Amino acid sequence: MTNLLKLLDLSTDEIIDILNLADQLKYEKKHAIPHPLLKGKTLGMIFEKASTRTRVSFEAGIYQLGGQGLFLSSQELQMGRGEPIQDTARTLSRYIDGIMIRTYAHENVEKLASFAGVPVINGLTDLAHPCQVLADLMTIRERKNKLEGLKMCYIGDGNNMANSLTVGCLKVGMSVSLACPNGYHPDEGVLAFAKEYPNFELLSQPAKAAEDADVIITDVWSSMGMESEIEQRRVAFKGYQVNHELLKLAKSDAIVLHCLPAKREEEITSAVLEQFADVIFDEAENRLHAQKAVMVKLMGQ
Ligand code: CP
Ligand code: NVA
């Protein structure tokens, strides 16, 4: 593994190895056992979109590993004035040991990685959010003590979260049922991958997708960059909501996850979010541990 661009690039063993290391780092942090595995290393963090969890968990994470993070707003880099990504990649690689980037077009991350001489981590693109899904898998395994054989149901937009959840959950042996409105399906490449799995279904009715689910996940109806579509999406996604009525169809011990930020009363009711706040904020916490594991795997030695 030389980069983390999307989960499609990782084998099942690589995903499980990251989760195991993440569990170990979480244990060590809880017991105040230092783990300076990236002493003296620097992670550059390029942001073209807003972030709370990704920014802070990467910055705190690299510090806890003995290194340091550099927050690089694209607006303040020459990139914001049009310097090509390939020149940014080659320049940064002369100074630092890894690059995390949050941007729009996934192709830009692929391009950055192909020109960078250091590992590149995708901190969210329009296509994929691999770091979030590693944290989600870690959280599911903590709560259910396994992954294989569980059913994950995703309700809503076929966006970056739907794409990465589909790939990640299928790779670790889970069943995946998606409920997405017509016109808002996941990425074609992801669907081509998923269709090879008998335990994958793409439906249009949330109620059917939620049947006997162990984990129910949703995400905002309008992702970052889609602000101009908010009104039209409110109409298209009506009914694609995680609420108590939907939860009744899932297993009685089902958990609910949300990557956050959430739009209460749109994709999830406030009541469901608050009922599952413990697990949802464990999920947010696990970004820290999962990403520390990713950084150690990519930037260690
Ligand atoms: N879930 C997530 O990536 O959160 P931020 O947008 O706050 O980083
Ligand atoms: N799908 C959302 C996830 C935010 C963490 C977005 O891209 O805005």
Side-chain angles (χ1 to χ4, degrees):
M1 191 173 125
T2 47
N3 298 300
L4 174 61
L5 307 186
K6 57 188 191 309
L7 294 179
L8 269 176
D9 304 335
L10 266 55
S11 68
T12 302
D13 284 350
E14 284 173 325
I15 294 174
I16 300 295
D17 277 355
I18 292 169
L19 300 184
N20 291 345
L21 179 57
D23 283 350
Q24 184 191 326
L25 294 170
K26 183 171 184 174
Y27 174 89
E28 289 177 4
K29 179 165 187 298
K30 187 170 168 207
H31 293 88
I33 302 166
H35 40 229
L37 300 168
L38 297 180
K39 196 168 181 319
K41 305 247 171 154
T42 302
L43 177 77
M45 310 184 300
I46 303 175
F47 282 91
E48 288 200 89
K49 290 176 175 171
S51 171
T52 296
R53 280 144 288 269
T54 305
R55 176 181 176 179
V56 179
S57 56
F58 266 109
E59 194 158 341
I62 185 82
Y63 178 74
Q64 290 166 19
L65 290 166
Q68 67 161 343
L70 285 181
F71 173 69
L72 304 168
S73 157
S74 64
Q75 280 316 301
E76 289 158 25
L77 292 174
Q78 294 290 7
M79 238 175 89
R81 295 179 55 247
E83 183 171 15
I85 203 134
Q86 54 270 40
D87 295 355
T88 306
R90 286 177 288 188
T91 304
L92 292 182
S93 302
R94 300 295 178 109
Y95 307 135
I96 61 183
D97 306 287
I99 303 171
M100 188 243 89
I101 178 164
R102 165 168 286 197
T103 188
Y104 294 87
H106 188 79
E107 297 68 46
N108 286 341
V109 176
E110 299 279 352
K111 196 169 194 180
L112 182 77
S114 71
F115 281 90
V118 297
V120 172
I121 301 171
N122 176 0
L124 181 146
T125 59
D126 292 343
L127 178 75
H129 199 359
C131 293
Q132 180 67 54
V133 170
L134 290 170
D136 290 7
L137 293 173
M138 180 180 176
T139 310
I140 296 167
R141 198 168 71 160
E142 279 177 346
R143 295 287 171 149
K144 301 285 176 192
N145 294 312
K146 63 172 187 178
L147 291 169
E148 208 172 337
L150 297 176
K151 174 175 172 179
M152 189 283 291
C153 156
Y154 174 89
I155 306 286
D157 190 16
N159 60 13
N160 41 19
M161 279 304 298
N163 291 332
S164 293
L165 280 167
T166 298
V167 174
C169 291
L170 288 174
K171 284 203 177 205
V172 299
M174 295 172 70
S175 298
V176 171
S177 292
L178 309 176
C180 308
N182 278 334
Y184 297 95
H185 285 178
D187 172 68
E188 286 298 327
V190 167
L191 289 180
F193 165 84
K195 279 175 183 153
E196 299 295 313
Y197 288 77
N199 50 348
F200 169 77
E201 54 184 4
L202 171 58
L203 307 165
S204 53
Q205 311 100 310
K208 183 119 185 24
E211 265 172 24
D212 294 322
D214 297 283
V215 186
I216 296 197
I217 308 184
T218 187
D219 187 18
V220 288
W221 291 343
S222 294
S223 286
M224 289 181 277
M226 293 168 186
E227 288 73 14
S228 65
E229 297 177 23
I230 287 177
E231 286 314 322
Q232 129 198 6
R233 282 171 169 266
R234 275 199 185 116
V235 176
F237 286 95
K238 201 169 178 308
Y240 288 78
Q241 185 188 63
V242 176
N243 52 36
H244 277 126
E245 201 183 326
L246 188 87
L247 262 182
K248 282 190 203 137
L249 304 167
K251 292 223 176 93
S252 57
D253 62 351
I255 57 170
V256 173
L257 297 181
H258 193 306
C259 63
L260 303 174
K263 275 273 197 190
R264 286 165 166 81
E265 312 311 334
E266 289 200 358
E267 78 279 1
I268 190 166
T269 59
S270 183
V272 169
L273 194 149
E274 293 305 333
Q275 184 186 334
F276 290 92
D278 272 0
V279 60
I280 289 170
F281 289 98
D282 276 357
E283 177 190 10
E285 175 186 333
N286 286 339
R287 294 291 304 277
L288 173 74
H289 311 298
Q291 289 158 196
K292 281 168 76 178
V294 168
M295 288 190 281
V296 170
K297 293 274 180 204
L298 293 176
M299 296 163 63
Q301 269 98 56

